[in-house]
Amino acid sequence: MFVCVLSQLAFCQDSLPASQRMQWWREARFGMFIHWGVYAVPAGEFRGQKINNIGEWIMNRGKIPVAEYQQFAQQFNPVLYDPEAWVKAAKDAGMKYIVITAKHHDGFALFDSKASKWNVVDATPFKKDLLKPLADACRRNGIKLGFYYSQAQDWTNPGGTAIRRPAREGWANPDSSLIDAYTKEHEGHWDPAQTTRNLEQYIDDVAVPQVKELLSNYGDVSLIWWDTPSGMTDAAAAKLDALLKQHPQIISNDRLKRPNYPGDYKTPEQRIPNLSELDGKDWETCMTMNETWGYKSYADNWKSTQTLVRNLVDIASKGGNYLLNVGPKADGTFPQQSIDLLKGMGVWMKTNGEAIYASKASPFGLFAWGRCTKKETNKNTVLYFSVFDWPADGKLTVPGLSNKVLNARLLANGAAVKASKTTEGVVFSLPATQPDAIATVIRVEVKGTVASQMVHTKEPMKSGL
Ligand code: FHN
């Protein structure tokens, strides 16, 4: 307990004030999550079986022995990997930062690591660090780069933890009961090779040195994205937390070790918080485009561009960030559906990005017809009403808006919009046809500030595993 307080104090002293460190992130609002690694080789299949659940968990869900899983690395040779194209795809979609899985739960490092041979340089025919060229491409394109690091779970480097999952949830494995008995005895591990070292040794020999490598070998790293702190101890967390001290700019999420290491922002996963969960703290929803983070050849439950854009608007209207995932293939290319969805979002963001970037949460509750984001200028306020469902009668009512409307126009084509004050609020007269069916933004400048009209009960925000 005393050690933890000390490290917290040290951390706070050295790092820049949150307002300064978080500014770029709060203004960015939209980023790309990249889940990439050896699991893209089996791509959801093992021994001819389709393995259920998210692709990056195939080693655990398939209960694949370490030595057998490591053979997949022989086929991990991303010759089509083009980091410039990746960064351009993110940038053209309107994204301002990228977070890539430097090391996921399977322990495979996408970078040249001296702390473990289980990395892209020593264990694959590709033999080159994958993060270096990505860091360079991000710098060239003004995109912030963050590293996801699975600090606790590591299913290959001995001593890492493993969340226990019943074998038959992965596939109808005939040895399920045997395996389940073993994982029960061994804290979720399914292979003796995983437990020849304890957590502390793994943290000292692998996690700490690798995080040091990530923070020193790739230029400015803007954020660290920890994950699934199961089995973490405060002592282990303190060691990793202390590494951030040398990087006063860096920000981190809330998944290092709960509750003592809350980081800078919360991370609801695969869901958008309700208004009642908002407590003014920074948060970021991370979400897949289909049903998996890591690439699965048969995962085809793709969301639509409309859903993704409206999610982004909904999230920004609640003051949050959106970290949208891509799971590249083993050859280094993005699935075509991801490319198309990114392009679709980019078209909308090109016209309407100002309603998202550096915007603040809506002062109003949720509208049945859409959402609102806000920007305060020195004397006045700009409100961005994103209309999803266009009023059949061309009349859009904003109840509770009492400020004087100075001007109003559509971002889609600059057309002026007439505003009429009513007892209820303001009614905007809209053209018969909706310029953009996904969401049409009305930019409204009003006099003075707009007080929050939100009154709602509070409930804690649910954050990922
Ligand atoms: O177990 C991981 C999962 O593989 C994926 O990385 C997500 C992304 O936020 N996080 C964990 C589940 O909460």
Side-chain angles (χ1 to χ4, degrees):
M1 186 61 193
F2 180 68
V3 176
C4 147
V5 174
L6 259 185
S7 75
Q8 293 261 336
L9 281 176
F11 181 65
C12 301
Q13 266 156 11
D14 281 301
S15 64
L16 293 174
S19 54
Q20 223 174 312
R21 279 181 302 118
M22 296 295 286
Q23 190 180 352
W24 74 264
W25 188 87
R26 289 174 181 158
E27 293 179 351
R29 286 274 176 256
F30 188 29
M32 178 183 277
F33 213 172
I34 299 177
H35 277 70
W36 196 32
V38 161
Y39 41 79
V41 171
E45 296 202 34
F46 174 58
R47 293 189 190 150
Q49 297 284 339
K50 283 190 167 40
I51 306 299
N52 299 328
N53 212 274
I54 41 188
E56 69 283 6
W57 272 66
I58 191 168
M59 189 180 177
N60 187 321
R61 292 296 189 173
K63 301 294 180 252
I64 307 176
V66 172
E68 195 167 351
Y69 185 80
Q70 289 186 309
Q71 281 160 27
F72 286 127
Q74 292 316 308
Q75 300 161 59
F76 186 75
N77 191 11
V79 289
L80 301 178
Y81 173 49
D82 178 355
E84 188 68 28
W86 286 19
V87 173
K88 192 165 179 323
K91 195 172 181 178
D92 293 351
M95 295 160 158
K96 299 293 186 186
Y97 61 108
I98 290 177
V99 180
I100 185 166
T101 53
K103 191 201 76 161
H104 203 266
H105 308 333
D106 64 355
F108 180 73
L110 297 186
F111 56 102
D112 182 10
S113 175
K114 302 291 174 273
S116 165
K117 288 266 177 261
W118 181 225
N119 70 70
V120 65
V121 175
D122 299 310
T124 78
F126 191 75
K127 297 196 175 322
K128 291 190 292 289
D129 188 310
L130 292 164
L131 299 184
K132 262 233 173 34
L134 182 65
D136 298 342
C138 284
R139 249 187 309 280
R140 276 194 301 274
N141 290 279
I143 295 289
K144 297 273 188 185
L145 179 64
F147 291 138
Y148 167 112
Y149 189 82
S150 178
Q151 76 281 8
Q153 288 207 86
D154 191 317
W155 305 327
T156 301
N157 295 298
T161 69
I163 291 178
R164 180 171 184 267
R165 290 285 185 256
R168 66 175 53 73
E169 280 183 7
W171 66 293
N173 188 329
D175 308 326
S176 290
S177 339
L178 264 179
I179 294 171
D180 290 350
Y182 184 92
T183 57
K184 199 167 187 161
E185 288 308 306
H186 298 84
E187 295 176 315
H189 296 98
W190 55 94
D191 182 338
Q194 296 172 315
T195 49
T196 56
R197 210 174 21 198
N198 63 29
L199 176 74
E200 196 174 355
Q201 291 164 325
Y202 151 76
I203 293 286
D204 293 345
D205 302 349
V206 177
V208 167
Q210 285 193 329
V211 172
K212 263 192 196 144
E213 288 169 335
L214 289 172
L215 294 177
S216 353
N217 301 348
Y218 301 91
D220 273 350
V221 175
S222 300
L223 72 88
I224 288 282
W225 218 97
W226 309 110
D227 202 7
T228 66
S230 56
M232 271 300 272
T233 61
D234 279 326
K239 290 175 183 166
L240 293 168
D241 194 33
L243 297 176
L244 303 182
K245 232 175 17 200
Q246 286 103 34
H247 306 269
Q249 315 272 0
I250 207 163
I251 64 177
S252 63
N253 70 354
D254 64 340
R255 298 190 186 192
L256 176 57
K257 169 76 175 61
R258 299 187 181 108
N260 297 335
Y261 294 87
D264 299 298
Y265 61 96
K266 296 180 178 179
T267 52
E269 177 165 318
Q270 299 285 45
R271 58 181 298 273
I272 300 172
N274 309 318
L275 291 177
S276 56
E277 295 175 71
L278 306 180
D279 58 4
K281 291 221 177 65
D282 292 295
W283 59 277
E284 171 195 72
T285 282
C286 56
M287 195 181 283
T288 55
M289 286 184 177
N290 58 0
E291 66 270 43
T292 181
W293 303 92
Y295 178 69
K296 281 180 93 170
S297 59
Y298 51 91
D300 55 7
N301 183 9
W302 297 94
K303 296 175 177 77
S304 66
T305 302
Q306 172 169 303
T307 297
L308 298 179
V309 167
R310 290 183 177 186
N311 283 351
L312 175 59
V313 173
D314 183 23
I315 289 167
S317 80
K318 292 168 177 170
N321 279 31
Y322 196 24
L323 190 66
L324 187 57
N325 185 73
V326 174
K329 300 179 184 177
D331 66 5
T333 60
F334 283 359
Q336 189 56 45
Q337 295 90 340
S338 298
I339 294 171
D340 299 342
L341 288 167
L342 290 168
K343 281 208 177 103
M345 295 193 81
V347 170
W348 191 86
M349 287 297 276
K350 204 161 177 359
T351 303
N352 304 289
E354 78 167 79
I356 303 293
Y357 300 127
S359 64
K360 295 261 186 312
S362 165
F364 309 98
L366 307 182
F367 297 111
W369 45 257
R371 297 289 185 271
C372 173
T373 49
K374 172 182 90 169
K375 281 184 187 170
E376 267 128 6
T377 59
N378 46 18
K379 285 207 291 331
N380 301 323
T381 302
V382 177
L383 299 168
Y384 297 91
F385 296 108
S386 297
V387 185
F388 300 161
D389 305 322
W390 205 244
D393 63 358
K395 301 291 176 208
L396 188 87
T397 304
V398 177
L401 178 55
S402 54
N403 304 60
K404 177 175 168 35
V405 173
L406 302 173
N407 56 68
R409 63 181 168 80
L410 299 179
L411 285 186
N413 53 23
V417 170
K418 183 165 158 287
S420 334
K421 230 175 162 52
T422 67
T423 49
E424 213 195 332
V426 173
V427 175
F428 294 96
S429 306
L430 302 179
T433 348
Q434 181 172 14
D436 187 328
I438 289 182
T440 295
V441 179
I442 312 166
R443 181 189 187 281
V444 179
E445 188 168 3
V446 299
K447 199 166 175 37
T449 58
V450 180
S452 173
Q453 335 233 321
M454 304 250 267
V455 274
H456 45 71
T457 55
K458 284 278 171 225
E459 61 175 309
M461 186 182 290
K462 296 181 233 16
S463 202
L465 269 181

